[in-house]
């Protein structure tokens, strides 16, 4: 197959291009080339989507993979390349209107579509823009459209600093601050598993919406398993009450001075979708040890003491552990 990846230089797009090459497909990546390199063996066509896709005029592809979060860009891509044999649109778990109910699937109610947002999305508009993009893809491609809605994406080269915070921190040992919510749900998908499934979907002509998520676990079980893989003897998880963390200004899920993967109140459903339909449709999930190893390698390559997009600094954690009551898990 000849596969076009709209992107291909960072994280999901790069992983999809690499997976397609590993399966013997010809891969073209359309990107500015400013954020990174395409995988070895892929062809880079320099494109700035803000200026259109003229560089791809007259090209035809067996499959297209688009990760855009701009409705205008998605519409333009469909107009220019809609004769492709198969189209994957990488959406997001944030398209659902109900973040509280656990066990939802791809048939859940969606947010209202947003079609009038110019430029890049905001956290408030992100889900609605992706809904509009999904609608456009389905309208143009019909039963050639595969819409995948990932939740937390993990593994190597994660630009968000969320999942990787925990393998890095637990590998350092000592008292490790965590929210006292061990039963909170959590689920993730390794970027390599997501990418391989996207290539499989193109090969098989898989269509329809699916959640790109792995099986549901709990935060307590996840951190315990990560600790068993990387933590030195004597490491202790010091759990602090959520109210105390909130009062101390610790953020939930992501961002500066945060405890990553700590679900905000009433968002349990966002991290507990039913993975069974996706697993039945060909998604394969690797052992956690592989994901943890790759995430830790990325963290160390980037620099363990760098300024982070998510997590606590050593000084912030030490101050919190010194002032807030905790209990060992």
């Amino acid at each position: 197959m000849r596969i076009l990846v709209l992107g291909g230089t960072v994280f999901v797009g790069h992983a999809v291009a690499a997976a397609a090459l590993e399966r013997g497909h010809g891969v073209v990546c359309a990107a500015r080339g400013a954020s990174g390199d395409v995988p070895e063996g892929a062809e880079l066509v320099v494109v700035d989507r803000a200026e259109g896709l003229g560089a791809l005029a007259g090209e035809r592809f067996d499959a297209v993979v688009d990760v855009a979060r701009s409705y205008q860009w998605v519409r333009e891509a469909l107009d220019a390349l809609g004769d492709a044999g198969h189209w994957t649109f990488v959406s997001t778990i944030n398209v659902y209107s109900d973040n509280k109910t656990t066990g939802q699937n791809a048939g859940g109610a969606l947010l209202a579509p947003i079609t009038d947002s110019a430029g890049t999305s905001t956290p408030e508009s992100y889900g609605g823009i992706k809904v509009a993009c999904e609608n456009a893809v389905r309208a143009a491609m019909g039963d050639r459209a595969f819409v995948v809605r990932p939740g937390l994406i993990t593994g190597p080269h994660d630009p968000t600093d969320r999942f990787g915070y925990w393998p890095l921190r637990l590998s350092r040992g000592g008292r490790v601050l965590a929210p006292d919510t061990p039963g909170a749900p959590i689920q993730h998908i390794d970027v390599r598993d997501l990418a391989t499934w996207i290539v499989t979907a193109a090969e098989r002509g898989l269509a329809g919406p699916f959640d790109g998520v792995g099986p549901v676990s709990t935060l307590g079980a996840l951190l315990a398993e990560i600790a068993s893989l990387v933590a030195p003897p004597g490491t202790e998880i010091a759990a602090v009450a959520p109210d105390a963390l909130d009062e101390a200004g610790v953020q939930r899920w992501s961002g500066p001075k945060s405890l990553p993967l700590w679900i905000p109140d009433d968002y349990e459903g966002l991290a507990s979708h039913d993975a069974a339909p996706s697993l039945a449709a060909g998604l394969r999930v690797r052992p956690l040890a592989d994901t943890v190893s790759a995430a830790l390698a990325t963290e160390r390559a980037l620099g363990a003491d760098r300024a982070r997009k998510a997590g606590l600094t050593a000084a912030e954690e030490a101050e919190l552990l010194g002032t807030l009551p905790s209990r060992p898990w």
Side-chain angles (χ1 to χ4, degrees), residues 8 16 23 53 82 106 115 146 183 213 215 234 252 290 309 311 315:
V16 171
R23 301 275 269 269
L53 296 172
T115 61
F146 174 56
V213 296
R252 303 189 184 208
D290 193 351
K309 296 178 182 177

PDB file of all heavy atoms in Angstrom, residues 8 16 23 53 82 106 115 146 183 213 215 234 252 290 309 311 315:
ATOM      1  N   GLY A   8       3.739  13.028  10.721  1.00  0.00           N
ATOM      2  CA  GLY A   8       4.754  11.989  10.606  1.00  0.00           C
ATOM      3  C   GLY A   8       6.081  12.309  11.231  1.00  0.00           C
ATOM      4  O   GLY A   8       7.014  11.506  11.134  1.00  0.00           O
ATOM      5  N   VAL A  16       2.978   6.005  13.484  1.00  0.00           N
ATOM      6  CA  VAL A  16       2.194   5.398  12.404  1.00  0.00           C
ATOM      7  C   VAL A  16       3.069   5.183  11.175  1.00  0.00           C
ATOM      8  O   VAL A  16       3.053   4.114  10.547  1.00  0.00           O
ATOM      9  CB  VAL A  16       0.980   6.274  12.050  1.00  0.00           C
ATOM     10  CG1 VAL A  16       0.296   5.758  10.787  1.00  0.00           C
ATOM     11  CG2 VAL A  16      -0.016   6.292  13.211  1.00  0.00           C
ATOM     12  N   ARG A  23       5.755  -2.801   8.130  1.00  0.00           N
ATOM     13  CA  ARG A  23       4.881  -3.763   7.459  1.00  0.00           C
ATOM     14  C   ARG A  23       5.122  -3.801   5.947  1.00  0.00           C
ATOM     15  O   ARG A  23       4.392  -4.471   5.218  1.00  0.00           O
ATOM     16  CB  ARG A  23       3.416  -3.417   7.747  1.00  0.00           C
ATOM     17  CG  ARG A  23       3.058  -3.421   9.237  1.00  0.00           C
ATOM     18  CD  ARG A  23       2.696  -4.807   9.728  1.00  0.00           C
ATOM     19  NE  ARG A  23       1.275  -5.003   9.593  1.00  0.00           N
ATOM     20  CZ  ARG A  23       0.376  -4.725  10.560  1.00  0.00           C
ATOM     21  NH1 ARG A  23       0.767  -4.250  11.728  1.00  0.00           N
ATOM     22  NH2 ARG A  23      -0.899  -4.943  10.350  1.00  0.00           N
ATOM     23  N   LEU A  53      -2.513  22.188   0.687  1.00  0.00           N
ATOM     24  CA  LEU A  53      -1.873  20.919   0.346  1.00  0.00           C
ATOM     25  C   LEU A  53      -1.492  20.849  -1.128  1.00  0.00           C
ATOM     26  O   LEU A  53      -1.493  19.777  -1.738  1.00  0.00           O
ATOM     27  CB  LEU A  53      -2.815  19.757   0.699  1.00  0.00           C
ATOM     28  CG  LEU A  53      -3.153  19.595   2.180  1.00  0.00           C
ATOM     29  CD1 LEU A  53      -4.239  18.530   2.369  1.00  0.00           C
ATOM     30  CD2 LEU A  53      -1.911  19.220   2.982  1.00  0.00           C
ATOM     31  N   GLY A  82      -9.669  12.958  -1.065  1.00  0.00           N
ATOM     32  CA  GLY A  82     -10.788  12.096  -0.714  1.00  0.00           C
ATOM     33  C   GLY A  82     -10.986  10.882  -1.593  1.00  0.00           C
ATOM     34  O   GLY A  82     -11.865  10.059  -1.315  1.00  0.00           O
ATOM     35  N   ALA A 106     -18.007   3.506  21.984  1.00  0.00           N
ATOM     36  CA  ALA A 106     -17.998   4.475  20.896  1.00  0.00           C
ATOM     37  C   ALA A 106     -19.389   4.953  20.491  1.00  0.00           C
ATOM     38  O   ALA A 106     -19.513   5.867  19.674  1.00  0.00           O
ATOM     39  CB  ALA A 106     -17.275   3.891  19.683  1.00  0.00           C
ATOM     40  N   THR A 115     -17.361  24.141  14.214  1.00  0.00           N
ATOM     41  CA  THR A 115     -16.799  24.282  12.864  1.00  0.00           C
ATOM     42  C   THR A 115     -16.230  25.661  12.594  1.00  0.00           C
ATOM     43  O   THR A 115     -15.602  25.868  11.551  1.00  0.00           O
ATOM     44  CB  THR A 115     -17.881  23.996  11.804  1.00  0.00           C
ATOM     45  OG1 THR A 115     -18.947  24.952  11.967  1.00  0.00           O
ATOM     46  CG2 THR A 115     -18.424  22.591  11.942  1.00  0.00           C
ATOM     47  N   PHE A 146     -12.197   5.248   9.144  1.00  0.00           N
ATOM     48  CA  PHE A 146     -11.891   4.672  10.449  1.00  0.00           C
ATOM     49  C   PHE A 146     -11.596   5.836  11.387  1.00  0.00           C
ATOM     50  O   PHE A 146     -10.639   6.584  11.179  1.00  0.00           O
ATOM     51  CB  PHE A 146     -10.684   3.744  10.338  1.00  0.00           C
ATOM     52  CG  PHE A 146     -10.169   3.192  11.641  1.00  0.00           C
ATOM     53  CD1 PHE A 146     -10.994   2.482  12.493  1.00  0.00           C
ATOM     54  CD2 PHE A 146      -8.838   3.359  12.006  1.00  0.00           C
ATOM     55  CE1 PHE A 146     -10.518   1.947  13.683  1.00  0.00           C
ATOM     56  CE2 PHE A 146      -8.347   2.826  13.191  1.00  0.00           C
ATOM     57  CZ  PHE A 146      -9.192   2.122  14.035  1.00  0.00           C
ATOM     58  N   GLY A 183      -8.057   3.753  44.036  1.00  0.00           N
ATOM     59  CA  GLY A 183      -9.094   3.064  43.287  1.00  0.00           C
ATOM     60  C   GLY A 183      -9.590   3.812  42.069  1.00  0.00           C
ATOM     61  O   GLY A 183     -10.459   3.309  41.346  1.00  0.00           O
ATOM     62  N   VAL A 213      -8.193   2.752  23.336  1.00  0.00           N
ATOM     63  CA  VAL A 213      -7.874   2.615  24.754  1.00  0.00           C
ATOM     64  C   VAL A 213      -7.525   1.173  25.068  1.00  0.00           C
ATOM     65  O   VAL A 213      -7.999   0.246  24.420  1.00  0.00           O
ATOM     66  CB  VAL A 213      -9.046   3.070  25.647  1.00  0.00           C
ATOM     67  CG1 VAL A 213      -9.326   4.557  25.475  1.00  0.00           C
ATOM     68  CG2 VAL A 213     -10.308   2.259  25.356  1.00  0.00           C
ATOM     69  N   PRO A 215      -7.221  -1.831  28.347  1.00  0.00           N
ATOM     70  CA  PRO A 215      -8.090  -2.242  29.457  1.00  0.00           C
ATOM     71  C   PRO A 215      -8.014  -1.271  30.636  1.00  0.00           C
ATOM     72  O   PRO A 215      -6.985  -0.627  30.868  1.00  0.00           O
ATOM     73  CB  PRO A 215      -7.545  -3.619  29.831  1.00  0.00           C
ATOM     74  CG  PRO A 215      -6.858  -4.109  28.602  1.00  0.00           C
ATOM     75  CD  PRO A 215      -6.273  -2.885  27.957  1.00  0.00           C
ATOM     76  N   GLY A 234      12.937  -0.194  49.258  1.00  0.00           N
ATOM     77  CA  GLY A 234      12.675   0.846  50.233  1.00  0.00           C
ATOM     78  C   GLY A 234      11.833   1.992  49.728  1.00  0.00           C
ATOM     79  O   GLY A 234      11.485   2.899  50.496  1.00  0.00           O
ATOM     80  N   ARG A 252      -4.472  18.534  38.934  1.00  0.00           N
ATOM     81  CA  ARG A 252      -4.823  17.158  38.586  1.00  0.00           C
ATOM     82  C   ARG A 252      -4.552  16.897  37.099  1.00  0.00           C
ATOM     83  O   ARG A 252      -4.689  17.790  36.275  1.00  0.00           O
ATOM     84  CB  ARG A 252      -6.290  16.875  38.897  1.00  0.00           C
ATOM     85  CG  ARG A 252      -6.650  17.132  40.361  1.00  0.00           C
ATOM     86  CD  ARG A 252      -8.041  16.647  40.679  1.00  0.00           C
ATOM     87  NE  ARG A 252      -8.435  16.983  42.058  1.00  0.00           N
ATOM     88  CZ  ARG A 252      -9.306  16.283  42.776  1.00  0.00           C
ATOM     89  NH1 ARG A 252      -9.868  15.221  42.254  1.00  0.00           N
ATOM     90  NH2 ARG A 252      -9.615  16.654  43.994  1.00  0.00           N
ATOM     91  N   ASP A 290       7.034  -3.052  28.855  1.00  0.00           N
ATOM     92  CA  ASP A 290       7.590  -2.501  27.621  1.00  0.00           C
ATOM     93  C   ASP A 290       7.318  -1.002  27.535  1.00  0.00           C
ATOM     94  O   ASP A 290       8.184  -0.205  27.165  1.00  0.00           O
ATOM     95  CB  ASP A 290       6.988  -3.239  26.424  1.00  0.00           C
ATOM     96  CG  ASP A 290       7.721  -2.974  25.122  1.00  0.00           C
ATOM     97  OD1 ASP A 290       8.592  -2.092  25.089  1.00  0.00           O
ATOM     98  OD2 ASP A 290       7.418  -3.650  24.129  1.00  0.00           O
ATOM     99  N   LYS A 309       6.454  19.655  31.488  1.00  0.00           N
ATOM    100  CA  LYS A 309       5.103  20.100  31.172  1.00  0.00           C
ATOM    101  C   LYS A 309       4.093  19.547  32.165  1.00  0.00           C
ATOM    102  O   LYS A 309       2.977  20.070  32.275  1.00  0.00           O
ATOM    103  CB  LYS A 309       4.725  19.658  29.761  1.00  0.00           C
ATOM    104  CG  LYS A 309       5.565  20.282  28.668  1.00  0.00           C
ATOM    105  CD  LYS A 309       5.158  19.761  27.311  1.00  0.00           C
ATOM    106  CE  LYS A 309       6.022  20.333  26.209  1.00  0.00           C
ATOM    107  NZ  LYS A 309       5.678  19.773  24.876  1.00  0.00           N
ATOM    108  N   GLY A 311       3.888  17.322  36.166  1.00  0.00           N
ATOM    109  CA  GLY A 311       4.568  16.698  37.289  1.00  0.00           C
ATOM    110  C   GLY A 311       5.021  17.712  38.320  1.00  0.00           C
ATOM    111  O   GLY A 311       4.833  18.924  38.177  1.00  0.00           O
ATOM    112  N   ALA A 315      11.805  19.885  44.413  1.00  0.00           N
ATOM    113  CA  ALA A 315      11.596  20.830  45.511  1.00  0.00           C
ATOM    114  C   ALA A 315      10.123  20.918  45.889  1.00  0.00           C
ATOM    115  O   ALA A 315       9.772  20.975  47.086  1.00  0.00           O
ATOM    116  CB  ALA A 315      12.124  22.210  45.119  1.00  0.00           C
TER     117      ALA A 315
END
